[in-house]
Amino acid sequence: MFTSSSFDKTLKIWDTNTLQPADIFHFEGTVYSHHMSPVATKHCLIAVGTKSPKVQLCDLKSGSSSHILQGHRQEVLAVSWSPRHEYILATGSADGRVKLWDVRRASGCLSTLDQHNGEKSKASSEAANTAHNGRVNGLCYTNDGLHLLTLGTDDRMRLWNSSTGENTLVNYGKVCNESRKGLKFAISCGCNPEFAFVPYGSTIAVYTVFTGELITMLRGHYSTVNCCVFQPHFQELYSGSKDCNILAWIPAPREPVPDDISEKSLPQQHLNPAYEDAWSSSDDEG
């Protein structure tokens, strides 16, 4: 099966054999984000972020969506289950807050991430415990679940220690983000160092996760990029855009340079022969 959610206010569970919906969950407001735990064995909950400030949990076993998590003040734009602990959920909202939840607890909320690590004066109570000075519309855990990366419309990206809730203060510079809905970005798995792939206008910015360095910009789309997904088995990245294209990005197919070739004779790139230009001109054929 696979799942999809839409601005038509539904979450659909699809049967891949028949390509028909096996179940449909209806909500009162626009659906911005949903996520199913990649590691859960004891529950079948899908977390859903909608126009409501309440986080909805849909249970595939019972078909119920009555379980809610209350704490945010505005719409929930991003949700992400921990890949380390099956009951831990992170949510990001237009209220500028990122909350971590244990869905087994009645009270639910474990902590609210604070960009100032508790050091800002309590005079401005409204700004206390905010992760961003704008809407939080992107969340992604590192593959080991030890860190959480968040994106906000304050043009900032922040890396958090997911067990202590501490802002690690890694500086990624300005990360342009004007999306009014959820922004789906990705973190690599099996790379050294690990990379974050972040939609950035019609390009995709590639950052090192733990040092904040901007490595490159991937150019190929003709309009705004909405989402990125990393496929660890093939080390491939897939991106979707308003230009109606899905692009697949692969690591550059470089071959190792033989030891007996001197450095001076290396102006040309050593490409895998499969990728070389095989066109011939008409002059050669004559």
Side-chain angles (χ1 to χ4, degrees):
M1 66 175 185
F2 66 96
T3 58
S4 67
S5 59
S6 165
F7 274 26
D8 67 6
K9 306 178 184 179
T10 67
L11 165 73
K12 293 187 178 182
I13 318 301
W14 297 81
D15 182 334
T16 49
N17 294 311
T18 63
L19 295 182
Q20 296 293 321
D23 204 351
I24 302 177
F25 293 90
H26 296 270
F27 303 96
E28 292 179 7
T30 301
V31 180
Y32 291 107
S33 173
H34 77 278
H35 191 224
M36 194 171 177
S37 172
V39 295
T41 57
K42 298 183 177 70
H43 72 74
C44 294
L45 298 173
I46 298 179
V48 183
T50 70
K51 202 152 192 166
S52 161
K54 299 171 185 173
V55 182
Q56 315 262 170
L57 297 178
C58 299
D59 191 335
L60 292 185
K61 283 184 177 175
S62 67
S64 164
S65 58
S66 58
H67 193 159
I68 58 172
L69 304 173
Q70 297 193 65
H72 284 297
R73 299 177 184 178
Q74 294 181 46
E75 62 254 46
V76 179
L77 299 175
V79 295
S80 182
W81 291 97
S82 164
R84 193 176 188 88
H85 306 289
E86 66 175 286
Y87 293 106
I88 302 301
L89 175 70
T91 60
S93 167
D95 62 13
R97 290 172 170 79
V98 172
K99 290 181 177 288
L100 300 181
W101 313 78
D102 182 335
V103 298
R104 295 169 299 183
R105 292 167 44 140
S107 56
C109 189
L110 289 174
S111 62
T112 302
L113 302 185
D114 178 14
Q115 60 184 304
H116 305 291
N117 288 331
E119 293 176 11
K120 199 175 182 189
S121 93
K122 293 290 184 277
S124 55
S125 57
E126 186 60 31
N129 283 7
T130 53
H132 288 269
N133 299 321
R135 300 186 301 280
V136 180
N137 59 355
L139 292 173
C140 191
Y141 275 98
T142 54
N143 190 59
D144 57 14
L146 295 177
H147 291 86
L148 177 69
L149 203 54
T150 64
L151 270 176
T153 55
D154 54 358
D155 293 338
R156 289 286 177 263
M157 185 158 67
R158 295 199 165 94
L159 182 71
W160 310 81
N161 180 315
S162 58
S163 57
T164 65
E166 182 183 8
N167 180 359
T168 63
L169 303 177
V170 173
N171 182 10
Y172 300 93
K174 183 178 181 180
V175 183
C176 283
N177 174 5
E178 298 174 351
S179 176
R180 298 201 62 82
K181 53 183 183 177
L183 197 65
K184 175 91 171 142
F185 66 104
I187 295 179
S188 66
C189 171
C191 296
N192 184 20
E194 297 293 7
F195 301 107
F197 302 97
V198 183
Y200 201 111
S202 63
T203 67
I204 300 159
V206 182
Y207 297 91
T208 53
V209 171
F210 295 105
T211 60
E213 184 183 355
L214 176 61
I215 299 298
T216 189
M217 306 288 280
L218 303 179
R219 303 177 193 280
H221 285 291
Y222 299 102
S223 187
T224 306
V225 180
N226 294 319
C227 54
C228 294
V229 178
F230 189 77
Q231 219 294 1
H233 302 304
F234 303 111
Q235 291 291 302
E236 290 183 352
L237 177 75
Y238 307 112
S239 60
S241 162
K242 284 185 181 174
D243 63 11
C244 303
N245 288 324
I246 295 175
L247 298 185
W249 307 82
I250 59 174
R254 300 277 180 259
E255 284 193 335
V257 178
D259 293 338
D260 57 350
I261 295 182
S262 68
E263 291 293 324
K264 292 178 184 173
S265 61
L266 287 180
Q268 80 280 8
Q269 298 280 359
H270 282 263
L271 276 177
N272 182 316
Y275 293 86
E276 284 182 355
D277 183 357
W279 292 99
S280 61
S281 68
S282 55
D283 293 338
D284 294 50
E285 292 170 353

